[in-house]
């Protein structure tokens, strides 16, 4: 067991839960606190859950978490973390914004897990701060809130703001909190309890590189995919891709078929449509604006391509997502 530095009282961290929050990210944030208590043989941390009205909250996997508090309760916290997932705007309520701003005025550090960053941003509490969110919605956060400096890493600590990408990044952020407050040795011991062989740094990438993500071994194919991913709004032609990676069109098409069982044109279109789905989910852009942002020349062209790919129109897809219906994988 490890003995921490003396503390006067445990830090109580409040987790404000949004409907359909990520249970995995929430657990990854809470469990390091539990283990830090056990290993130090002291109650360094307490954690309590909060919902708008004190009612239980259903996570994105349909499991229900009982709330310890409503916003009406007079509770004090050492930190408040907003935990969200799909549709973070469902937690944005004037009462939520007022409550969070009051905590900020009282000097309480505020944090966000996964898309909880949107909730803080809606309330104006990330203005002038660096922040991150899940990679799927990072560009949406940036476009909706230009006064927030978005970063693509696992987590960001900027003054009184703690934000992380969700998933296992919540574990890394909380290990960082434990390390800052109670030392590296305790944080490392907590990490080992979770078979977490290395405490990841804040700026590490959220996503795998294309080589690992797709299981590729051809450098020209990897570079072509990286170029595609960087040019979704203004798609490059296949000829431009071939010139950039210095291979013939025939070879590029052959390698795509051999390693990915798909043509480069189809792969590129799928990337753009997947990006469109994310914009439909996480932004308020019109269907036409989403189409333009993903490289389509007209709204009609975008709608035809999207319906062929997803089986529903973009407008219907947005309705389905907001009804809690998960889109099928394409």
């Amino acid at each position: 067991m490890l003995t921490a530095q003396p503390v006067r009282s445990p830090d109580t961290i409040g987790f404000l839960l949004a409907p359909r929050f990520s249970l995995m990210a929430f657990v990854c944030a809470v469990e390091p606190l539990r283990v830090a208590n056990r290993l130090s043989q002291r109650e360094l941390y307490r954690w309590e859950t909060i919902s708008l009205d004190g009612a239980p909250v259903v996570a994105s996997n349909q499991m229900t978490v009982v709330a310890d508090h409503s916003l009406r309760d007079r509770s004090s916290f050492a930190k408040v973390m907003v935990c969200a997932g799909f549709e973070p705007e469902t937690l944005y309520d004037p009462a939520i914004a007022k409550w969070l701003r009051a905590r900020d005025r009282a000097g309480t550090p505020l944090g966000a897990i996964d898309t909880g960053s949107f909730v803080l941003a809606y309330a104006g509490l990330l203005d002038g701060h660096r922040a991150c969110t899940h990679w799927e919605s990072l560009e949406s956060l940036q476009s909706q809130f230009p006064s927030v400096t978005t970063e693509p890493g696992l987590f960001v600590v900027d003054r009184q703001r703690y934000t992380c990408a969700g998933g296992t990044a919540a574990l890394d952020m909380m290990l960082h909190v434990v390390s800052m407050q109670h030392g590296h040795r305790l944080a490392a011991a907590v990490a080992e309890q979770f078979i977490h062989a290395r405490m990841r740094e804040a700026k590490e990438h959220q996503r795998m590189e294309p080589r690992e993500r797709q299981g590729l071994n051809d450098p020209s194919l990897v570079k072509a995919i990286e170029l595609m991913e960087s040019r979704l709004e203004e798609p490059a032609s296949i000829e431009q891709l071939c010139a950039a990676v210095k291979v013939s069109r025939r070879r590029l098409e052959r390698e795509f078929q051999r390693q990915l069982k798909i043509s480069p044109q189809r792969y590129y279109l799928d990337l753009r449509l997947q990006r469109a789905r994310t914009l439909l989910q996480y932004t308020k852009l019109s269907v036409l604006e989403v189409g333009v942002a993903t490289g389509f020349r007209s709204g009609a062209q975008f709608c035809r391509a999207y319906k062929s790919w997803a089986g529903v129109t973009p407008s219907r897809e947005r309705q389905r997502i907001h009804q809690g219906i998960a889109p099928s994988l394409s």
Side-chain angles (χ1 to χ4, degrees), residues 1-4 35-42 185-186 189 193:
M1 298 295 179
L2 298 175
T3 302
V35 174
N37 288 350
R38 182 170 70 84
L39 294 183
S40 65
Q41 298 182 300
R42 296 193 57 168
R185 288 184 62 231
L186 178 58
Q193 289 294 308

Side-chain angles (χ1 to χ4, degrees), residues 22-325:
S22 167
L23 186 64
M24 179 178 181
F26 170 64
V27 170
C28 281
V30 170
E31 283 294 279
L33 308 178
R34 176 187 66 81
V35 174
N37 288 350
R38 182 170 70 84
L39 294 183
S40 65
Q41 298 182 300
R42 296 193 57 168
E43 190 180 32
L44 303 178
Y45 298 101
R46 294 174 183 169
W47 46 94
E48 297 175 353
T49 52
I50 312 155
S51 69
L52 178 64
D53 55 4
V57 186
V58 180
S60 59
N61 66 354
Q62 301 304 307
M63 294 182 72
T64 300
V65 173
V66 175
D68 298 309
H69 299 284
S70 75
L71 298 189
R72 296 185 301 274
D73 296 343
R74 293 186 177 181
S75 305
S76 61
F77 301 101
K79 290 182 181 66
V80 169
M81 298 284 177
V82 181
C83 191
F86 297 112
E87 297 185 84
E89 69 276 8
T90 58
L91 188 60
Y92 185 63
D93 180 281
I96 292 284
K98 181 180 179 180
W99 188 85
L100 287 169
R101 290 173 188 142
R103 302 285 80 69
D104 180 50
R105 287 193 299 272
T108 304
L110 302 176
I113 296 170
D114 205 315
T115 59
S117 298
F118 282 81
V119 179
L120 293 183
Y122 284 133
L125 293 167
L126 287 183
D127 291 353
H129 286 81
R130 296 180 296 111
C132 71
T133 186
H134 190 278
W135 62 264
E136 256 192 349
S137 54
L138 188 64
E139 289 183 28
S140 300
L141 182 69
Q142 185 176 39
S143 64
Q144 286 192 67
F145 304 101
S147 58
V148 180
T149 302
T150 57
E151 296 187 359
L154 295 175
F155 63 92
V156 175
V157 178
D158 184 8
R159 292 161 285 173
Q160 295 279 82
R161 300 291 181 267
Y162 296 73
T163 57
C164 78
T168 58
L171 172 60
D172 292 286
M173 183 173 74
M174 299 312 284
L175 289 172
H176 179 75
V177 169
V178 171
S179 179
M180 286 194 305
Q181 293 183 314
H182 303 291
H184 176 83
R185 288 184 62 231
L186 178 58
V190 172
E192 284 198 307
Q193 289 294 308
F194 295 108
I195 324 299
H196 197 57
R198 182 174 64 86
M199 291 190 291
R200 296 179 295 179
E201 298 293 329
K203 293 185 179 295
E204 292 191 37
H205 293 299
Q206 295 183 29
R207 302 193 71 188
M208 296 179 181
E209 297 298 326
R211 182 187 302 276
E212 288 78 22
R213 197 185 319 142
Q214 302 290 356
L216 302 175
N217 53 27
D218 186 321
S220 62
L221 205 56
V222 172
K223 187 174 181 181
I225 290 174
E226 289 174 344
L227 287 170
M228 289 178 181
E229 291 180 349
S230 68
R231 292 191 57 177
L232 299 181
E233 186 170 356
E234 297 181 2
S237 67
I238 297 302
E239 288 73 21
Q240 289 172 321
L241 289 172
C242 291
V245 302
K246 297 181 174 58
V247 298
S248 67
R249 179 172 183 143
R250 182 178 178 184
R251 184 189 167 194
L252 186 70
E253 291 178 340
R254 183 177 67 243
E255 289 304 312
F256 262 88
Q257 287 291 349
R258 185 175 72 84
Q259 296 196 48
L260 297 172
K261 313 302 181 189
I262 194 173
S263 71
Q265 295 92 331
R266 182 73 244 181
Y267 185 92
Y268 204 173
L269 180 60
D270 286 353
L271 281 180
R272 292 161 56 202
L273 292 168
Q274 288 163 4
R275 174 63 183 148
R277 174 175 279 163
T278 299
L279 292 175
L280 291 170
Q281 179 172 350
Y282 291 109
T283 74
K284 296 179 181 179
L285 294 175
S286 68
V287 168
L288 177 59
E289 289 170 328
V290 170
V292 170
T294 49
F296 291 92
R297 294 189 298 272
S298 70
Q301 183 195 40
F302 170 53
C303 289
R304 285 194 301 271
Y306 197 93
K307 185 173 183 180
S308 176
W309 177 73
V312 294
T313 64
S315 296
R316 179 57 183 150
E317 181 82 290
R318 177 170 270 167
Q319 292 172 357
R320 285 160 54 88
I321 291 171
H322 289 185
Q323 291 166 0
I325 303 171

